[in-house]
Amino acid sequence: MSNKMWGGRFASGPDAIMEEINASIGFDYRLAAQDIRGSRAHVAMLADAGIVSREHADAITRGLAQVEGEIEAGTFGFSRALEDIHMNIESRLAEIIGPDAGRLHTARSRNDQVAVDFRLWVRDAVDDLDGQMRGLQQALAERALDHAGAVMPGFTHLQSAQPVTFGHHLLAYVEMLGRDRSRLADARKRLNECPLGAAALAGTSFPINREQTARALGFDRPTANSLDSVSDRDFVLEVLASAAICAVHLSRLADEIVLWVTPQFGFVQLSDKFTTGSSIMPQKRNPDAAELVRGKAGRVIGALNGLLIVMKGLPLTYSKDMQEDKEGAFDALQSLSLCIAAMTGMIRDLQPDLKRMKAAAGAGFATATDLADWLVRELKMPFRQAHHVTGSLVKLASDGKVGLEKLTLAQMQSVEPQITEAVFGVLGVEKSVRSRTSYGGTAPANVRAQAKRWIAKLGKEAPKGG
């Protein structure tokens, strides 16, 4: 039996294996709302251009509304035999209004149809992700303001380096998310061109108005080249690349939470909302939400790599390989959305142990740089000499199993006679963080100012939409 949607070229139906590999309705049903939206804009333009009658256009529009209602109500019957969401909707439209449903496909192809549907879906996803990232930034900035002066160790090589504040640490991720949002915003600008009207690959001989459909669908303009319109998926690649970078940022924060909740660190605690127990060890409280955020980064990165590999060897224009553009993107962007939601919840939920963090901040001779800076500032030493003197003092303290602040003045002067009692004014962790007043530094006053700036900026932002 021939497929009525393909027409008379095919005398028999596809083999069962062909149907299995060819069908995309199992995942592209997610494009239903975008497909109907694009069809409405297309048929309205066809009527305005006199390509189809107003009567036929009205019938198609009413039929599309019924199809939309059935899909939203969950009563629509999706068919694998009809391959994809476009054919499923058109077939149901034909059942509702009869053969005139076929007029909807005048001056378009499934190639430009899927291109516009997918652009609309990706654009919607970008807008949703931007709102979620903004919410996470707000959560981080608010917690940063709460803990602008809470001292914790700063690390390099996962070794204690210099004291910082917990608020400063959280604001680092606010900055990262700001760049993530900027990348998505840039990608959105570039994808916001409408491919509808490019048809299969060469455009159409019908007197269509592509500017009209572009405006109706919230695009800035029509795409300028019909071949490019249907053959590239760089708009998905760019969004996935931005999503992958964001997923890496979330994974790094998640990994820190996993470390911080261990008894060995003990910096923060998560409630039962974001932890699970063990089937055998009753004492366990596992940070599963953070671990899953860390793990799901691989899905997002994998989707980007997968689509790059699909696209790398395709000649212009459309090839069926490009059907593989959607499933990974759907999964990746929905996974990222879930990860942002989980991370926002964890940031609002976690409770820092301020005493534990402050104690850890003083371990590992974390104020050694403050001592070296004091030698440069007060004794006018070249920094390299001050670095050497400080190293000798660290060794002296380490041999005595005490902190730098516990060395006596006499012990310090045995290494550098010019040292005075004033040196002890820079050796406490709180004094250390207060001294880091350079722009972008960890001084609590800086952190409060930056947190307030972000909170005000984020509060003024209007939701995006197309």
Side-chain angles (χ1 to χ4, degrees), residues 330-356:
F330 290 152
D331 179 78
L333 299 186
Q334 289 168 355
S335 292
L336 181 60
S337 174
L338 180 58
C339 288
I340 297 170
M343 186 57 70
T344 304
M346 282 187 282
I347 291 300
R348 294 198 180 279
D349 181 73
L350 62 81
Q351 294 299 319
D353 186 331
L354 303 182
K355 290 183 179 179
R356 183 72 175 260

Side-chain angles (χ1 to χ4, degrees), residues 72-270:
E72 290 176 351
T75 59
F76 187 90
F78 294 100
S79 169
R80 286 178 61 81
L82 293 171
E83 296 182 20
D84 56 33
I85 188 61
H86 324 294
M87 292 303 193
N88 269 264
I89 289 174
E90 186 175 332
S91 177
R92 178 60 182 142
L93 182 64
E95 292 174 356
I96 296 169
I97 70 170
D100 286 332
R103 300 181 189 278
L104 174 59
H105 211 55
T106 306
R108 77 173 181 183
S109 160
R110 275 197 294 180
N111 293 355
D112 62 336
Q113 187 178 358
V114 70
V116 74
D117 290 359
F118 203 17
R119 280 182 189 249
L120 288 169
W121 189 92
V122 170
R123 191 178 70 184
D124 290 344
V126 166
D127 291 343
D128 290 343
L129 287 169
D130 181 78
Q132 286 190 287
M133 289 181 190
R134 175 177 169 271
L136 178 52
Q137 283 182 295
Q138 284 183 308
L140 287 161
E142 288 167 3
R143 298 308 302 273
L145 184 59
D146 291 340
H147 300 292
V151 180
M152 70 175 290
F155 298 96
T156 61
H157 308 276
L158 202 56
Q159 303 293 313
S160 292
Q162 293 177 269
V164 296
T165 71
F166 188 47
H168 193 58
H169 196 110
L170 296 178
L171 285 178
Y173 287 100
V174 178
E175 296 289 340
M176 293 180 210
L177 286 161
R179 294 192 296 274
D180 292 332
R181 293 179 65 198
S182 178
R183 276 183 282 271
L184 282 176
D186 287 345
R188 190 191 193 282
K189 289 177 185 176
R190 276 182 285 278
L191 74 79
N192 207 37
E193 295 183 345
C194 184
L196 193 58
L201 73 161
T204 178
S205 59
F206 289 97
I208 60 173
N209 185 340
R210 294 193 63 207
E211 288 76 14
Q212 178 182 338
T213 49
R215 284 194 304 272
L217 294 170
F219 289 105
D220 295 330
R221 64 191 68 84
T223 50
N225 183 285
S226 61
L227 299 172
D228 174 56
S229 300
V230 299
S231 68
D232 208 349
R233 293 295 185 267
D234 58 352
F235 68 94
V236 192
L237 289 167
E238 189 171 7
V239 169
L240 286 175
S242 302
I245 295 171
C246 180
V248 168
H249 288 153
L250 295 181
S251 180
R252 296 183 71 183
L253 178 53
D255 190 61
E256 291 193 310
I257 291 173
V258 170
L259 289 173
W260 290 346
V261 299
T262 61
Q264 289 75 17
F265 275 76
F267 288 178
V268 303
Q269 186 174 46
L270 289 172

